[in-house]
Amino acid sequence: MNRAAWNERTRVHVASKFYDLASFRAGASSLKPIELDQVGDVRGKTLLHLQCHFGQDTLSWARQGARVTGLDLSDEAIKAARGLAEELSLDARFVEANTYDAPAALGGETFDIVFTSYGVLGWLPDMGRWARAAAACLKPGGVLHLVEFHPVVWTFDDAFEHIAYAYDGQGEPIMTEQTGTYADRSAPVKLQEVGFNHGIGTVVTALLDAGLTLERLHEFDWSPYDIFPDMEEGPAGQFRMKKFGRRIPLVYALAARRRA
């Protein structure tokens, strides 16, 4: 179900103003300050991007000098990513696979950096399996970088008026239907999908149980994306919901290292 939804999203997203492929083709980066500041210099490093969608961020890391591999569940997204890499003459490999299957799909290859960001964990029911898969893809001394929307956000209904869901659902599925996508609300697509809510404690504990060492955990009261209702910008590139201001976190970022 989720693969079908992301295939539909991909067809909309590659043509959307939100993803702005014209600017990307002209050399603009799709990466945001949160991940750029956290990950730092990637020149000459191997980087695996889990749940890479159609590859904009993956290819932006390639432009930063990393040797990149992107992995995603959606065959339409991987097809688009490969086409974009070829069109722009960027050296990148894209693999179609379930995130849990990444170690096997990559033949046991390991990387200096595993990166994943913004709206990724909510599609996965089991954080333990995710953390073990990510850890298995890291070289000794390698670092996982996660930048994700804060789980507080996903407790609200769509209008952000009421608490509708558990902060940590313990693997309980949330079945939803929607028209359009976050990148184009008016797109003529109707999507069915299943998601899962994971508290930060569950995510961090899963990483620790997988043998990683937590080095950074930071919460942000703003989002780099204007995707929630009634948002305002200020300072530049930092969006907050007017009704909440600085009172709730919207994004968190963590870094966890595999022992050398």
Side-chain angles (χ1 to χ4, degrees):
M1 186 184 295
N2 286 342
R3 179 187 286 111
W6 279 101
N7 280 345
E8 287 295 321
R9 280 193 180 92
T10 299
R11 298 182 185 104
V12 173
H13 290 180
V14 294
S16 68
K17 182 179 179 182
F18 181 92
Y19 281 97
D20 192 7
L21 269 179
S23 294
F24 184 77
R25 288 184 169 106
S29 175
S30 63
L31 297 168
K32 301 301 182 182
I34 293 174
E35 54 265 32
L36 287 169
D37 291 345
Q38 175 167 311
V39 178
D41 187 0
V42 298
R43 288 175 293 181
K45 295 181 179 180
T46 55
L47 183 148
L48 170 63
H49 183 183
L50 296 176
Q51 295 169 269
C52 67
H53 198 22
F54 67 91
Q56 269 192 313
D57 283 4
T58 320
L59 296 174
S60 291
W61 288 122
R63 285 171 166 169
Q64 295 276 337
R67 301 195 302 276
V68 300
T69 298
L71 182 143
D72 198 271
L73 178 74
S74 164
D75 50 300
E76 288 292 334
I78 291 299
K79 179 181 176 181
R82 289 170 177 163
L84 193 57
E86 182 178 1
E87 175 190 343
L88 300 176
S89 299
L90 291 170
D91 186 13
R93 173 180 53 162
F94 289 97
V95 177
E96 178 194 338
N98 188 309
T99 302
Y100 293 149
D101 299 332
L106 297 168
E109 183 178 355
T110 55
F111 300 81
D112 298 310
I113 297 166
V114 172
F115 172 78
T116 189
S117 70
Y118 301 110
V120 287
L121 298 187
W123 307 107
L124 305 172
D126 186 338
M127 286 294 92
R129 286 184 67 191
W130 166 76
R132 291 190 295 273
C137 292
L138 284 170
K139 292 180 178 179
V143 181
L144 166 72
H145 290 283
L146 166 69
V147 184
E148 180 60 289
F149 293 114
H150 201 284
V152 164
V153 170
W154 306 127
T155 64
F156 288 92
D157 61 2
D158 289 345
F160 282 81
E161 294 177 350
H162 307 287
I163 299 296
Y165 306 104
Y167 172 81
D168 193 322
Q170 300 293 313
E172 180 181 353
I174 301 171
M175 308 292 293
T176 58
E177 292 187 2
Q178 64 172 274
T179 301
T181 85
Y182 59 85
D184 184 352
R185 299 293 183 186
S186 63
V189 294
K190 187 173 183 179
L191 307 174
Q192 293 181 312
E193 57 200 13
V194 57
F196 308 86
N197 283 357
H198 307 291
I200 290 179
T202 292
V203 176
V204 170
T205 299
L207 294 171
L208 297 177
D209 287 346
L212 303 184
T213 300
L214 185 69
E215 294 191 337
R216 172 189 174 94
L217 174 58
H218 190 74
E219 297 169 290
F220 300 85
D221 62 8
W222 54 273
S223 165
Y225 294 103
D226 180 11
I227 63 169
F228 300 120
D230 196 27
M231 299 192 86
E232 59 183 356
E233 186 176 12
Q238 299 184 13
F239 297 92
R240 296 178 176 86
M241 283 183 280
K242 293 179 183 179
K243 67 170 65 177
F244 295 124
R246 295 176 177 270
R247 288 177 292 171
I248 67 169
L250 298 182
V251 168
Y252 74 102
L254 64 80
R257 187 180 299 272
R258 181 178 174 182
R259 299 182 184 94

